Amino acid sequence: MKAGIHPEYRDVVFQDVTTEFQILTRSTLGSKETVKWEDGNEYPLIKVDISSASHPFYTGKHKIVDTSGRVDKFRKRYGK
């Protein structure tokens, strides 16, 4: 591989903001936020809206995840 053209591949923690589920994995994404992991090291923290812990396909439950008020607008418009 050519040196200097590839992004840094490092350990990061992804956190689902709706369920507080966290997973340590590797990624090229970076963040200014950090979190202390179970092993005592600090890793960059990437926050995500939906993960396998909150997605209806994986949980078997239908859960409304509304980040911009779309459900409320729909209910106002159609009277529910």
Side-chain angles (χ1 to χ4, degrees), residues 63-80:
K63 184 177 183 180
I64 296 175
V65 177
D66 184 27
T67 58
S68 63
R70 290 176 282 172
V71 172
D72 292 332
K73 288 179 190 176
F74 178 84
R75 289 183 178 158
K76 281 182 186 176
R77 183 179 295 162
Y78 296 105
K80 289 199 174 197

Side-chain angles (χ1 to χ4, degrees), residues 11-74:
D11 292 331
V12 297
V13 174
F14 285 91
Q15 177 183 10
D16 186 337
V17 294
T18 58
T19 62
E20 301 299 320
F21 171 74
Q22 294 180 339
I23 187 167
L24 177 65
T25 188
R26 294 182 55 85
S27 177
T28 58
L29 293 175
S31 174
K32 293 181 181 177
E33 292 184 75
T34 60
V35 66
K36 193 165 194 168
W37 192 246
E38 299 159 356
D39 62 3
N41 295 329
E42 286 204 12
Y43 298 103
L45 177 66
I46 308 292
K47 294 183 178 180
V48 294
D49 291 329
I50 296 177
S51 70
S52 62
S54 62
H55 194 282
F57 180 80
Y58 297 106
T59 61
K61 302 178 205 170
H62 182 68
K63 184 177 183 180
I64 296 175
V65 177
D66 184 27
T67 58
S68 63
R70 290 176 282 172
V71 172
D72 292 332
K73 288 179 190 176
F74 178 84

